[in-house]
């Protein structure tokens, strides 16, 4: 018999990274008996190694828990895990849309951070009932009262109602479960209406194909039902549906108000769009659920095999990776300097790092990566509009009417003593000051609008360094704005190197060119001939650096014991040279293609 | 051709730049060491190729006394047969050299001395941590020159003051040794100079110093990267290394290359005394590796390698094995190939490692 809606609670946990979300989820699973103590693996909900290492959750899972509350009734609590990072903000919003309530977890020692705020606002936008929880009250630095005040003053929720807890020690878990039952409204939705189910996540399983996570909003989904995915207009038959408890438990139906999974022989994740609506194929609902959008990549980089012959291997790896992460895109690309490779698009910087790391770790590939960049909108004098994701594809300046670049709004929370440093950093990154809010006596939030291009290079690292790790950052795209942008070319012995071209603000072009050229001079080893490194805008050369020719490279002494040792040493050097890229007649080490990143470390005049 | 190297690890003082196996001689069991050497030599199996050279290196072989040196030479004679056609070289420290000693060596069968002059500049010698001064070096040169027709003056450039090099070369020319070795100072790992690497001179300066003897010793043939000789006075022993031929190695830390196996004796003196000839490294080379090393080594020599010699030795054509690399190197001006002989150019000496890198492919 289906569970009545008033016995269902759909909720999620939202928090800043490392505030204890996964630990609390584990504790809840344990207390409700979904996982017994003996089989408890730390942080059951995070399944990938990289996620665990970075303390973040990239993909969500929904788990049904049975909880008998103090009122004597047994409830089905659906815990919907949300991605923990800004890059996946759209996916987060869809997970939130599947819930009626959210636990807002705040670290008792660290207090409200940038992601706490951003996530809280997203939950408020979705009209969720928010239950603040102050976690880690066992820590020596815990200051529960201060965090209560921050919740009241900064987020605008009732801090006094916040539940003190220590997920690590299990304190407060039952209070949290009771609060979910008491405060989170039960789901609504007509179970007799045509089916409308929200896809809030999907995962690839090598045995069963794609597992689609849905929240049924109206009607019911049943095994064997013919369904229509409304945005992609694909039709399938549901071969299995059910809930995770946390292992899969197949059922006959999923009714309005329930969250669970459906399996319908879908082969690739690319066929499933997060936010899409599943309806009955024969009796479709009149329209989609609100809030669907196509997610567009915002950060791009080139990825090339270090050894040319690994191109096919890299393609295979990308295809396999895309089976379980459809949120990055790639297309074959070729560079004069780097040969055959791919251009990849990501949802954000962290997303890019994760994909790069997975490629190297899981597929054992050595890759040459170019510095990340954003997509520019180029308006030509002909009225045509182009999207440029690769600086080397920029049309000549004479054909360009204007160039627009993506802007973000960044919220940076940091201790007040670092504020001046943060402001300086934002200014240097072409940031436009919006406001500074004070969170309490100790911390403040600076809000800036700035070009995404400035953010993708090294902003987060520098922010962390300059705030000694205390700064936190959240950003969202706010659209394209015209910029005084030019393409900066790097020439080696007079030949432009496509993989080293970049788009920069005109005012900084000379400085970037100068610094980049000087970096390259240090990175490119001396060769038998002199190498001229030039930075140029169009025909105008801004700066010239020279790598002097190597004139002496000889092992002066070579006696009996040295012969094989020397040969092996040369073989090792030779191996190193093989990993360099031949650009014209110049051998360029891989690091050179990332030099744009390190340029940012240089003090600016 | 084959050769014998005998390593005498004892030194009165330790030179701060030297990375050979060496120990202080005070209270050292030199007699026991000579005994062990005799045993190791007695057990050796001579190569088929005729022995052309014996080289006493160190350490400081010149601190052996007459009896010790005589016993080792006797043992070598019994096992290998030392004719007058065999070059017998003794490395000598100027400190140890007297006219009397020189003649004693001569009488025992030594027919070549490699004299570690290093410099004729007192400050440079102090920088190198040498015991002798410039005058000591001069006296030693005279004594050796009187007793030996065949001798080598060994010099080091790059010590401070750097400018002393020119005067040292001028004085070298005045002594007119039949052979000169001129090596750049290196700051090797495991020596006390290692932590002074910051003092090493820049490449371009080093190149200028390297080029000086080329000009100063115009009457000598620059027959190897760091070596100069009057006609017929090339080092027979070192040519065995540079042509990648077979050699025996006796004594602590001595290397040998026999039947395609590179091996090294234990570097531990006491282990050696207990088991003379015990190896601490042994590496069998593939034929491909031997061919590669052979070509790389020959490119250290002004006379290079003839196509005929390569074919005689390996039964294959040099161009079949290394043709594209040789062409690329010729195009870079590092070697020449006239169809008979492949030899390095002057640039090929200075950028010799580039030749090796290209040959590796």
């Amino acid at each position: 018999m289906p569970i009545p809606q008033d016995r269902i609670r759909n909720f999620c946990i939202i928090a800043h990274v490392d505030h204890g979300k996964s630990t609390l989820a584990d504790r809840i699973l344990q207390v409700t008996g979904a996982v017994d103590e003996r089989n408890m693996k730390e942080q059951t909900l995070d399944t990938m190694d990289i996620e665990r290492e970075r303390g973040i959750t990239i993909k969500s899972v929904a788990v049904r828990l049975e909880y008998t509350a103090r009122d004597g009734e047994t409830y089905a609590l659906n815990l919907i895990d949300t991605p923990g990072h800004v890059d996946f903000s759209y996916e987060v919003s869809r997970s939130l849309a599947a819930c009626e309530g959210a636990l807002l977890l705040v670290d008792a020692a660290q207090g409200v951070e940038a992601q706490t705020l951003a996530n809280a606002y997203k939950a408020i936008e979705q009209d969720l009932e928010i239950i603040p929880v102050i976690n880690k009250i066992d820590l020596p630095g815990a200051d529960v009262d201060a965090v209560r005040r921050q919740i009241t003053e900064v987020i605008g929720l009732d801090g006094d109602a916040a539940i003190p807890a220590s997920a690590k020690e299990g304190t407060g878990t039952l209070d949290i479960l009771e609060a979910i039952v008491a405060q989170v409204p039960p789901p609504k939705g007509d179970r007799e209406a045509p089916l409308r189910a929200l896809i809030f996540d999907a995962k690839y399983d090598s045995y069963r194909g794609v597992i689609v996570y849905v929240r049924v909003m109206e009607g019911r989904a049943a095994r064997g039902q013919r369904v229509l995915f409304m945005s992609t207009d694909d039709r399938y038959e549901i071969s299995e549906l059910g809930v995770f408890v946390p292992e899969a438990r197949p059922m006959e139906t999923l009714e309005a108000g329930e969250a669970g999974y459906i399996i319908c022989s879908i082969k690739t994740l690319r066929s499933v769009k997060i936010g899409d609506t599943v309806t009955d194929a024969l009796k479709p609902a009149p329209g989609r659920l609100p809030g669907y959008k196509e997610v567009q990549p915002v950060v791009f980089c080139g990825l090339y095999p270090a050894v040319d012959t690994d191109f096919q291997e890299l393609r295979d790896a990308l295809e396999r990776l895309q089976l379980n992460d459809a949120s990055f895109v790639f297309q074959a690309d070729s560079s004069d300097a780097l040969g055959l490779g791919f251009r990849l698009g990501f949802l954000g910087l962290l997303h890019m790092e994760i994909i790069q790391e997975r490629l190297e770790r899981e597929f054992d590939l050595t890759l040459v990566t170019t510095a990340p960049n954003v997509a520019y909108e180029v308006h030509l004098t002909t009225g045509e509009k182009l999207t440029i994701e690769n600086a080397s594809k920029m049309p000549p300046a004479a054909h360009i009417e204007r160039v627009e670049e993506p802007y973000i709004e960044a919220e940076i929370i940091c201790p007040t003593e670092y504020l001046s440093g943060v402001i300086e950093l934002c200014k240097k990154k072409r940031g436009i000051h919006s406001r500074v809010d004070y969170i309490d006596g100790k911390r403040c939030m600076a809000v800036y609008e700035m070009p995404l291009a400035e953010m993708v290079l090294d902003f987060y690292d520098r922010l962390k360094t300059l705030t000694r790790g205390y700064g936190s950052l959240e950003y969202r795209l706010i659209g394209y704005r015209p910029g005084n942008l030019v393409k900066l070319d790097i020439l080696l012995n007079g030949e432009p190197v496509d993989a080293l071209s970049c788009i920069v603000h005109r005012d900084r072009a000379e400085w970037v060119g100068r610094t980049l050229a000087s970096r390259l001079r240090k990175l490119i080893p001396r060769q038998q001939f002199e190498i001229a490194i030039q930075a140029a805008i169009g025909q105008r050369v801004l700066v010239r650096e020279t790598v002097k020719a190597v004139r002496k490279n000889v092992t002066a002494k070579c006696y009996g014991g040295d012969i094989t040792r020397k040969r092996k040493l040369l073989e090792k050097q030779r191996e190193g040279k093989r990993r360099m890229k031949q650009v014209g007649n110049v051998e360029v080490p891989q690091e050179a293609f990332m030099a744009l990143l390190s340029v940012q470390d240089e003090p600016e005049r | 051709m084959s050769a014998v190297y005998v390593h005498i690890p004892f030194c009165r003082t330790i030179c701060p730049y030297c990375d050979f196996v060496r120990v202080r001689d005070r209270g050292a069991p030199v007699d026991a060491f000579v005994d062990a050497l005799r045993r190791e030599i007695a057990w050796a199996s001579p190569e088929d190729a005729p022995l052309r050279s014996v080289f006493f290196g160190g350490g400081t072989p010149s601190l052996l006394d007459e009896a010790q040196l005589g016993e080792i030479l006797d043992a070598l004679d019994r096992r290998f047969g030392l004719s007058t056609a065999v070059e017998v070289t003794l490395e000598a420290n100027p400190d140890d050299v007297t006219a009397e000693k020189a003649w004693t060596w001569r009488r025992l069968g030594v027919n070549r001395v490699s004299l570690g002059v290093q410099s004729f500049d007192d400050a440079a010698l102090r920088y190198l941590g040498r015991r002798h001064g410039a005058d000591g070096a001069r006296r030693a040169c005279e004594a050796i020159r009187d007793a030996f027709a065949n001798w080598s003056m060994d010099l080091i450039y790059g010590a401070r003051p750097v400018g002393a090099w020119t005067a040292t070369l001028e004085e070298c020319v005045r002594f007119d040794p039949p052979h000169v070795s001129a090596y750049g100072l290196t700051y090797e790992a495991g020596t006390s100079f290692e932590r002074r690497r910051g003092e090493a001179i820049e490449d371009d300066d080093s190149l200028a110093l390297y080029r000086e003897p080329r000009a100063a010793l115009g009457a000598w043939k620059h027959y190897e990267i760091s070596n100069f000789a009057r006609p017929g006075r090339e080092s027979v022993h070192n040519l065995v290394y540079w042509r990648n031929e077979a050699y025996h190695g006796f004594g602590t830390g001595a290397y040998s290359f026999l039947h395609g196996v590179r091996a090294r004796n234990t570097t531990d003196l006491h282990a050696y005394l207990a088991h003379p000839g015990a190896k601490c490294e042994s590496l069998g080379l593939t034929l491909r590796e031997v061919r590669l090393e052979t070509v790389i080594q020959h490119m250290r020599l002004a006379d290079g390698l003839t196509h005929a010699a390569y074919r005689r030795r390996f039964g294959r054509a040099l161009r079949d094995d290394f043709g594209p690399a040789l062409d690329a190197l010729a195009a870079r001006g590092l070697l020449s190939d006239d169809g008979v002989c492949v030899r390095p150019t002057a640039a090929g000496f200075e950028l010799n490692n580039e030749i090796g890198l290209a040959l590796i492919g």
Side-chain angles (χ1 to χ4, degrees):
Chain A
M1 211 185 78
I3 305 171
Q5 284 178 339
D6 62 5
R7 299 288 169 76
I8 298 174
R9 300 292 184 272
N10 295 308
F11 74 103
C12 57
I13 308 172
I14 51 180
H16 188 73
V17 65
D18 279 342
H19 282 196
K21 188 170 88 170
S22 300
T23 315
L24 179 62
D26 282 355
R27 198 60 62 200
I28 290 174
L29 260 60
Q30 204 181 349
V31 167
T32 56
V35 181
D36 69 41
E37 200 131 4
R38 214 157 29 86
N39 296 334
M40 186 83 188
K41 203 166 61 177
E42 280 280 295
Q43 304 188 354
T44 308
L45 289 189
D46 288 358
T47 47
M48 283 185 354
D49 288 349
I50 297 174
E51 290 177 30
R52 269 194 209 178
E53 273 171 34
R54 294 177 180 238
I56 52 167
T57 314
I58 302 164
K59 283 291 187 183
S60 60
V61 186
V63 182
R64 168 172 296 186
L65 313 158
E66 278 184 13
Y67 176 64
T68 305
R70 288 182 191 137
D71 62 11
E73 300 286 351
T74 300
Y75 293 85
L77 308 183
N78 293 314
L79 166 55
I80 290 162
D81 201 19
T82 56
H85 192 272
V86 57
D87 289 353
F88 305 95
S89 65
Y90 173 68
E91 296 185 345
V92 172
S93 81
R94 294 306 85 201
S95 292
L96 296 179
C99 300
E100 280 78 29
L103 299 175
L104 177 68
L105 204 58
V106 187
D107 185 302
Q110 291 182 28
V112 170
E113 292 284 359
Q115 271 177 264
T116 318
L117 261 182
N119 285 322
Y121 291 155
K122 277 183 204 133
I124 291 167
E125 243 169 69
Q126 298 285 339
D127 214 11
L128 301 193
E129 180 66 32
I130 300 173
I131 302 169
V133 175
I134 301 174
N135 190 28
K136 305 195 190 181
I137 55 168
D138 57 307
L139 285 184
D143 186 346
V144 176
D145 289 338
V147 176
R148 281 190 198 282
R149 277 196 301 278
Q150 289 174 17
I151 291 172
T152 306
E153 286 162 21
V154 184
I155 309 178
L157 297 169
D158 180 5
D160 291 331
I163 303 169
S166 163
K168 200 174 117 206
E169 299 186 339
T171 340
T173 314
L174 284 175
D175 296 339
I176 293 169
L177 288 168
E178 286 298 322
I180 292 167
V181 169
Q183 294 173 38
V184 175
K188 294 197 271 287
D190 182 358
R191 289 186 165 176
E192 302 311 320
L195 171 66
R196 282 210 292 183
L198 169 71
I199 298 177
F200 63 86
D201 204 349
K203 273 191 184 302
Y204 180 78
D205 181 286
S206 43
Y207 297 106
R208 320 174 80 181
V210 176
I211 297 172
V212 184
Y213 290 82
V214 294
R215 157 69 197 275
V216 181
M217 307 307 268
E218 286 163 1
R220 68 170 58 86
R223 192 157 61 89
Q225 186 178 11
R226 299 277 308 164
V227 287
L228 167 70
F229 285 34
M230 297 179 82
S231 298
T232 50
D233 205 28
D234 287 328
R235 273 148 232 271
Y236 304 98
E237 187 183 308
I238 297 177
S239 59
E240 182 184 324
L241 55 70
V243 292
F244 285 94
V245 290
E247 65 282 353
R249 180 194 288 168
M251 306 203 302
E252 285 304 312
T253 60
L254 278 177
E255 308 266 339
E258 291 190 283
Y261 69 91
I262 61 176
I263 295 174
C264 30
S265 331
I266 301 171
K267 292 202 174 48
T268 87
L269 274 182
R270 296 170 70 180
S271 318
V272 180
K273 302 287 178 202
I274 306 300
D276 197 0
T277 303
V278 181
T279 190
D280 190 284
L282 304 172
K283 201 172 72 175
R288 283 193 309 216
L289 293 163
Y292 174 77
K293 68 173 188 189
E294 284 266 354
V295 186
Q296 296 297 332
V298 293
V299 178
F300 302 84
C301 77
L303 212 55
Y304 297 83
V307 185
D308 293 345
T309 49
D310 287 349
F311 174 74
Q312 194 53 43
E313 257 178 80
L314 178 56
R315 179 194 289 281
D316 292 346
L318 287 168
E319 281 170 358
R320 279 170 57 195
L321 203 55
Q322 212 172 42
L323 287 177
N324 53 45
D325 183 351
S327 54
F328 78 95
V329 296
F330 68 92
Q331 63 183 60
D333 195 13
S334 81
S335 148
D336 299 338
L338 296 169
L340 285 179
F342 296 91
R343 190 113 201 125
L344 279 75
F346 308 95
L347 300 182
L349 270 185
L350 178 97
H351 188 210
M352 178 178 85
E353 279 173 31
I354 288 168
I355 297 291
Q356 286 171 358
E357 203 173 315
R358 288 189 65 186
L359 283 170
E360 301 214 349
R361 192 188 294 197
E362 294 171 30
F363 299 93
D364 195 24
L365 291 166
T366 310
L367 301 171
V368 180
T369 315
T370 62
N373 63 275
V374 301
Y376 295 90
E377 285 186 352
V378 180
H379 296 259
L380 301 180
T381 46
T382 58
E384 215 182 324
K385 189 180 96 177
L386 302 174
T387 302
I388 298 289
E389 294 164 7
N390 185 343
S392 67
K393 305 278 190 323
M394 192 71 139
H399 299 171
I400 296 174
E401 196 254 318
R402 68 177 195 280
V403 180
E404 297 192 350
E405 61 177 330
Y407 265 68
I408 54 164
E409 183 182 72
E411 292 174 346
I412 298 150
I413 291 186
C414 67
T416 42
E417 67 252 47
Y418 302 120
L419 180 64
S420 63
V422 168
I423 288 176
E424 203 176 313
L425 174 64
C426 291
K427 247 163 62 185
K428 192 175 151 187
K429 298 291 187 179
R430 296 193 278 138
I432 303 158
H433 177 90
S434 299
R435 62 177 198 277
V436 171
D437 294 339
Y438 285 84
I439 292 179
D440 50 30
K442 295 186 203 116
R443 291 187 310 155
C444 54
M445 177 171 79
V447 182
Y448 271 82
E449 293 177 357
M450 68 173 80
L452 176 63
E454 299 288 343
M455 173 80 66
V456 302
L457 286 176
D458 63 338
F459 185 85
Y460 189 61
D461 287 346
R462 303 197 63 190
L463 177 70
K464 278 287 175 192
T465 310
L466 112 94
T467 60
R468 296 175 191 261
Y470 291 113
S472 63
L473 164 76
E474 183 71 28
Y475 69 86
R476 62 188 184 91
L477 282 169
I478 53 174
Y480 276 77
R481 294 180 185 176
N484 190 1
L485 302 167
V486 290
K487 178 177 158 214
L488 179 73
D489 288 316
I490 296 291
L491 295 80
L492 293 183
N493 283 346
E495 292 296 320
V497 181
D498 56 3
L500 288 171
S501 292
C502 55
I503 292 168
V504 293
H505 193 266
R506 189 180 297 278
D507 294 347
R508 290 185 78 212
E510 184 165 342
W511 175 80
V512 172
R514 195 172 292 284
T515 318
L516 189 53
S518 130
R519 272 291 150 130
L520 290 170
R521 181 173 59 76
K522 288 172 196 147
L523 284 168
I524 296 174
R526 292 170 66 175
Q527 291 163 40
Q528 210 188 318
F529 41 84
E530 189 176 281
I531 302 163
I533 303 168
Q534 292 165 304
I537 296 173
Q539 299 300 309
R540 190 165 67 89
V541 173
L542 303 172
V543 58
R544 180 196 155 110
E545 292 268 0
T546 307
V547 179
K548 283 198 292 182
V550 56
R551 293 158 67 213
K552 182 167 181 253
N553 176 16
V554 54
T555 311
K557 198 161 65 175
C558 192
Y559 293 140
D562 305 317
I563 298 168
T564 293
R565 189 167 353 129
K566 182 183 139 194
R567 189 224 338 134
K568 288 188 170 173
L569 197 73
L570 289 174
E571 280 172 348
K572 220 168 125 188
Q573 283 177 27
R574 182 70 211 157
E575 202 43 53
K577 277 164 96 86
R578 240 179 238 129
R579 279 199 291 272
M580 291 199 211
K581 289 287 178 181
Q582 190 83 28
V583 179
N585 55 355
V586 183
E587 284 168 336
V588 182
Q590 296 171 20
E591 306 85 72
F593 298 101
M594 288 291 273
L596 192 57
L597 283 179
S598 57
V599 159
Q600 312 295 320
D601 299 337
E602 299 279 321
E604 196 160 356
R605 299 179 273 110
Chain B
M1 292 211 306
S2 71
V4 163
Y5 176 76
V6 181
H7 191 76
I8 309 295
F10 308 105
C11 291
R12 206 142 293 156
T13 56
I14 300 297
C15 297
Y17 55 86
C18 171
D19 69 336
F20 286 95
V21 175
R22 69 274 193 262
V23 292
R24 293 283 299 276
D25 69 328
R26 254 178 99 101
V30 182
D31 282 331
F33 179 78
V34 170
D35 254 9
L37 265 182
R38 287 168 58 193
R39 276 184 287 156
E40 192 192 1
I41 292 165
W43 294 332
S45 325
E47 290 280 281
D48 294 337
L51 183 74
R52 289 293 311 281
S53 159
V54 170
F55 194 100
F56 288 90
T60 315
S62 55
L63 55 69
L64 292 175
D65 64 26
E66 181 176 351
Q68 290 160 342
L69 186 58
E71 283 175 21
I72 302 167
L73 283 164
D74 275 350
L76 287 169
D77 188 31
R78 277 196 298 277
R79 196 74 197 123
F80 294 91
L82 298 182
S83 70
T84 49
V86 177
E87 177 189 274
V88 180
T89 307
L90 181 92
E91 253 180 10
N93 195 327
D95 258 3
D96 298 325
V97 176
T98 60
E100 191 196 340
K101 264 203 147 172
W103 285 101
T104 304
W105 293 335
R106 177 81 199 269
R107 200 177 60 244
L108 290 171
V110 173
N111 53 27
R112 185 172 180 271
V113 167
S114 180
L115 185 63
V117 168
Q118 321 308 6
S119 173
F120 289 106
D121 185 89
D122 282 327
L125 288 165
R126 274 196 303 277
Y127 182 88
L128 293 170
R130 301 294 300 201
R131 275 181 294 140
H132 67 273
D135 282 336
R138 293 181 187 108
R139 277 194 300 275
C141 288
E142 281 159 16
I144 294 301
R145 188 174 57 182
D146 285 349
F148 292 93
N150 194 3
W151 65 289
S152 175
M153 183 186 288
D154 301 339
L155 301 173
I156 291 181
Y157 63 83
R160 307 300 158 89
V162 173
W165 185 227
T166 311
T168 288
L169 285 171
E170 281 166 9
E171 199 153 348
C172 167
V173 170
R174 283 202 294 279
F175 277 108
D176 195 14
H179 186 281
V180 179
S181 294
Y183 286 110
L185 176 61
T186 53
Y187 298 73
E188 300 291 340
T191 69
S192 59
F193 261 37
E194 181 182 5
R195 62 194 150 76
R196 291 170 64 176
R197 272 188 181 158
E199 297 173 22
I201 52 175
E202 295 285 315
D203 270 5
D204 287 353
D205 297 334
S206 164
L207 180 66
L209 295 177
Y210 173 78
R211 285 177 174 174
E212 276 195 50
R214 227 182 138 79
L217 301 174
W220 284 255
K221 180 176 177 184
H222 188 183
Y223 75 103
E224 195 265 353
I225 288 170
S226 307
N227 287 275
F228 301 80
R230 295 288 199 176
R233 293 303 190 191
E234 294 87 355
S235 164
V236 170
H237 187 82
N238 287 336
L239 280 172
V240 167
Y241 298 143
W242 297 326
R243 290 177 178 149
N244 205 26
E245 288 166 335
Y247 51 91
H248 294 262
F250 301 119
T252 44
Y255 286 91
S256 60
F257 180 46
L258 300 167
H259 316 293
V261 177
R262 289 205 192 279
R264 187 181 199 191
N265 278 354
T266 176
T267 56
D268 181 287
L269 179 59
H270 293 280
Y272 179 78
L273 294 180
H275 304 284
K279 304 297 178 199
C280 64
E281 292 169 34
S282 183
L283 178 69
L285 300 185
T286 65
L287 276 170
R288 221 200 116 263
E289 286 167 339
V290 174
R291 290 196 292 267
L292 175 61
E293 288 182 2
T294 301
V295 181
I296 291 176
Q297 287 298 99
H298 274 86
M299 292 305 117
R300 302 184 66 83
L301 296 170
D303 285 346
L305 176 62
T306 63
H307 291 279
Y310 188 87
R311 180 175 287 284
R312 213 162 40 239
R313 183 157 169 188
F314 298 112
R316 319 159 50 105
L318 178 61
R319 292 208 63 88
D320 287 349
D321 289 341
F322 296 100
L326 295 177
D327 290 341
L329 285 165
R332 289 166 65 185
L334 297 180
L335 52 76
S336 67
D337 180 359
D338 58 10
V340 175
C341 184
V342 180
R343 45 168 69 89
T345 60
F349 270 180
E350 292 166 359
L351 294 167
N352 201 255
N353 288 342
E354 298 287 333
I355 297 183
L357 284 169
L359 289 169
I360 284 165

